[in-house]
Amino acid sequence: MANSGGGVRGKGLLERLEQGPVICAEGYLFELERRGYLQAGPYVPEVVLDEPEAVRQLHREFVRAGSDVVEAFTYYGHREKLKVIGKEAILEPLNRQALQIAREVADESGTLLAGDLSNTNVYDPDDAEALRFVRQAFEEQVGWAVDAGVDFIIGETFSWLGEAEVALEIIRASGKPAVITLAMHQEGVVREGPPVDEACRRLADAGADVVGLNCSRGPGTMLPAIARIRQQVACHVAALPVPYRTTPEQPTFQSLKDPACACLPEGRPFPVALDPFTCNRYEMAEFAKAAQALDVRYLGICCGAGPHHIRALAEALGRQPLASRYSPDMSRHSFFGTDPKLKAANREYAARL
Ligand SMILES: [Zn+2]
């Protein structure tokens, strides 16, 4: 399987970014939950050990759709999450296996292999014990990623600037390029107070190779902040929205409300009933073009992304990934098509369908 990065096989993240956009598919938690391999709520990637084929297959689907990066599925595979489900014993095997699966798909496709750190949900700037815990959790995950020979390491979905800074410091100590992305909540600020664009500037000043936003916001409510971040930093910028139609009134996927549905058990569509808000592939293509116009080069889609979204994003950037072989051709549709070999009467009937 070859991807269509366009003559960049063998080059590292920073060289590829100098030449143009790099696509990183994310959203493994949501997609594997939807497929029946992962439990919403705890959101721990035990699937890596329980059903490794399911993870390998999804990596391949995202690469086939145009992802230049295979992100090891260690998101929420850190010490805190495993403690919550009482399975700290599988921490190291889970991380090593996630990296190994991703390694295999990256090698067979010529894509980049990324290690991954995420928010721990226990970070507290005023709690020395919590700070020690976070540092240990990141150090051990970075160590396993380095052992696996990753090309770079992602630290993502941080709400606390301080936690992002700890992740960055530990990634930098490993010598690997660091991609650091924040989750932008309703108020548009990190939990210490500053706006996300200022937080990104501080991360860039501290040596991050790529800074930006992932998760939480859909394209419509993420792009204005991305434009501000682009103005604040000299390094590359990352934008990986969730594929949902967030609005100025409900700017995050957690805050979306669905008055059309009376059967939501908790009254809110997040996280497993967001279907009616899903962006279509054309909307994700528009996002890609808008981000590219801002010279934002590290592009992807987070929770909710499917391979069809990634393919649309790739094609909007001028790519033809393997999956483009099956991109739509409505000219040969039985009713809406224009191909002369089609029965003409069906086209006239199409308006009545
Ligand atoms: Zn996400």
Side-chain angles (χ1 to χ4, degrees):
M1 182 165 34
N3 90 331
S4 63
V8 292
R9 194 178 178 118
K11 293 207 167 86
L13 173 68
L14 303 179
E15 290 168 280
R16 293 188 191 207
L17 284 168
E18 283 310 308
Q19 292 182 1
V22 170
I23 300 170
C24 179
E26 293 194 343
Y28 287 93
L29 277 182
F30 267 41
E31 184 58 25
L32 287 163
E33 191 280 332
R34 193 151 52 192
R35 294 182 184 193
Y37 292 102
L38 196 142
Q39 188 174 36
Y43 279 121
V44 185
E46 292 175 89
V47 58
V48 165
L49 292 171
D50 296 344
E51 301 281 353
E53 259 326 298
V55 179
R56 191 177 285 111
Q57 176 66 19
L58 184 54
H59 283 320
R60 285 180 174 148
E61 288 173 25
F62 278 146
V63 167
R64 181 182 167 78
S67 186
D68 299 308
V69 178
V70 180
E71 182 182 31
F73 189 27
T74 57
Y75 186 91
Y76 276 178
H78 53 58
R79 186 170 287 277
E80 166 63 15
K81 277 286 179 182
L82 287 154
K83 206 167 108 180
V84 169
I85 63 166
K87 293 188 180 175
E88 282 174 283
I90 65 167
L91 172 67
E92 181 171 347
L94 186 156
N95 276 268
R96 291 203 186 272
Q97 176 128 320
L99 287 153
Q100 176 58 31
I101 295 167
R103 165 94 275 160
E104 288 164 20
V105 179
D107 284 350
E108 73 190 16
S109 59
T111 46
L112 296 168
L113 172 62
D116 181 61
L117 307 178
S118 52
N119 51 309
T120 61
N121 306 315
V122 290
Y123 177 87
D124 179 347
D126 302 319
D127 179 345
E129 196 183 330
L131 292 174
R132 272 195 301 276
F133 183 94
V134 169
R135 184 167 285 274
Q136 183 200 355
F138 289 163
E139 279 174 347
E140 61 198 1
Q141 282 195 299
V142 166
W144 295 320
V146 168
D147 285 351
V150 297
D151 294 293
F152 67 99
I153 300 178
I154 298 162
E156 59 172 322
T157 329
F158 296 115
S159 302
W160 289 100
L161 171 61
E163 187 174 39
E165 287 171 333
V166 173
L168 172 60
E169 180 199 324
I170 293 167
I171 296 169
R172 275 176 57 80
S174 78
K176 300 289 181 184
V179 175
I180 306 290
T181 52
L182 304 170
M184 181 179 177
H185 304 301
Q186 292 184 50
E187 287 88 12
V189 297
V190 289
R191 285 177 72 167
E192 290 92 339
V196 290
D197 51 309
E198 187 186 322
C200 282
R201 184 180 51 71
R202 282 160 64 171
L203 290 162
D205 290 347
D209 297 285
V210 180
V211 298
L213 303 175
N214 80 293
C215 212
S216 293
R217 289 185 168 225
T221 56
M222 179 183 279
L223 273 168
I226 290 290
R228 291 194 295 277
I229 293 167
R230 179 63 285 174
Q231 289 176 342
Q232 289 256 3
V233 301
C235 66
H236 288 292
V237 172
L240 301 96
V242 292
Y244 296 109
R245 292 173 179 165
T246 51
T247 64
E249 297 73 34
Q250 296 164 23
T252 62
F253 69 162
Q254 294 96 338
S255 63
L256 285 170
K257 294 181 178 63
D258 188 357
C261 181
C263 59
L264 295 171
E266 294 180 38
R268 112 177 86 63
F270 177 86
V272 294
L274 289 161
D275 312 52
F277 303 98
T278 306
C279 294
N280 63 46
R281 60 188 79 186
Y282 303 109
E283 291 169 311
M284 297 319 292
E286 291 304 306
F287 154 72
K289 286 185 247 175
Q292 192 180 31
L294 295 169
D295 198 26
V296 171
R297 296 197 184 176
Y298 186 99
L299 297 171
I301 311 174
C302 204
C303 304
H308 66 305
H309 288 127
I310 297 296
R311 179 177 62 187
L313 186 151
E315 290 179 349
L317 300 174
R319 308 276 186 88
Q320 284 286 302
L322 280 176
S324 291
R325 177 178 170 193
Y326 299 108
S327 287
D329 175 7
M330 287 299 287
S331 75
R332 292 193 280 189
H333 188 275
S334 303
F335 286 83
F336 295 101
T338 50
D339 190 299
K341 292 195 286 296
L342 295 167
K343 187 175 167 67
N346 283 344
R347 185 161 176 81
E348 287 153 29
Y349 192 76
R352 297 169 65 186
L353 289 176

